[in-house]
Amino acid sequence: MADHSENTARRIELADLPSAAPKGRTLLDENHELIKNIKVRLSVSIGRGTLTVKELLNLKEGSVVTLDRGTQEPVDLLLDGKLVARGELIAVGDNFGVRISEVLGG
C-alpha cells in the first residue's frame, strides 16, 4: 500500500496585513535602468474630422480634410493611446516636432 501523506491537503491560516503603508524602498526607486530602454508608442493628435462616405470616396491626392482644431490650438500627446500631455506643433529642421506646454496628471 502506497503512502499518500505527501498529497494530503491541509488548511493554512494567513494573518491579516497591517493597514499602514509599507516602509522601505520602492520597486524602482531612482533606478530607472531597468525600464529606460523599453519602447513605448508616443503619438500626436492634431485633430479629427468627419466625412460622409461620399466625401471619403472622392478623396484624392491634393484633397484637404478640415480638422476640428485651429492652427493655434494645442495638440495632444498620447502614450500608448492615453492622453499624457499637450503642446504646440513646431518645425524642427525638415520635420515636425511638439513643444510640450502641459503635462497632465495620471
Side-chain angles (χ1 to χ4, degrees):
M1 186 172 199
D3 180 14
H4 296 288
S5 61
E6 292 178 20
N7 297 329
T8 303
R10 292 180 286 142
R11 178 179 211 134
I12 60 170
E13 292 191 29
L14 301 174
D16 289 337
L17 291 175
S19 60
K23 294 180 174 78
R25 296 179 359 173
T26 61
L27 181 64
L28 294 177
D29 270 339
E30 295 302 315
N31 182 7
H32 297 137
E33 293 295 319
L34 295 172
I35 62 170
K36 74 178 189 179
N37 291 321
I38 295 174
K39 292 188 180 200
V40 295
R41 181 172 304 275
L42 181 67
S43 9
V44 176
S45 173
I46 60 172
R48 297 177 190 267
T50 303
L51 302 171
T52 64
V53 173
K54 179 180 178 183
E55 292 168 325
L56 178 65
L57 294 173
N58 287 328
L59 288 179
K60 54 185 168 236
E61 289 181 19
S63 294
V64 174
V65 176
T66 303
L67 302 177
D68 62 352
R69 290 194 186 172
T71 57
Q72 299 303 312
E73 291 186 57
V75 296
D76 294 336
L77 278 82
L78 302 131
L79 180 60
D80 284 331
K82 181 180 180 198
L83 180 63
V84 294
R86 290 200 172 91
E88 63 179 298
L89 204 54
I90 61 170
V92 180
D94 289 337
N95 297 309
F96 286 113
V98 175
R99 179 177 293 126
I100 297 173
S101 58
E102 177 185 9
V103 175
L104 304 174

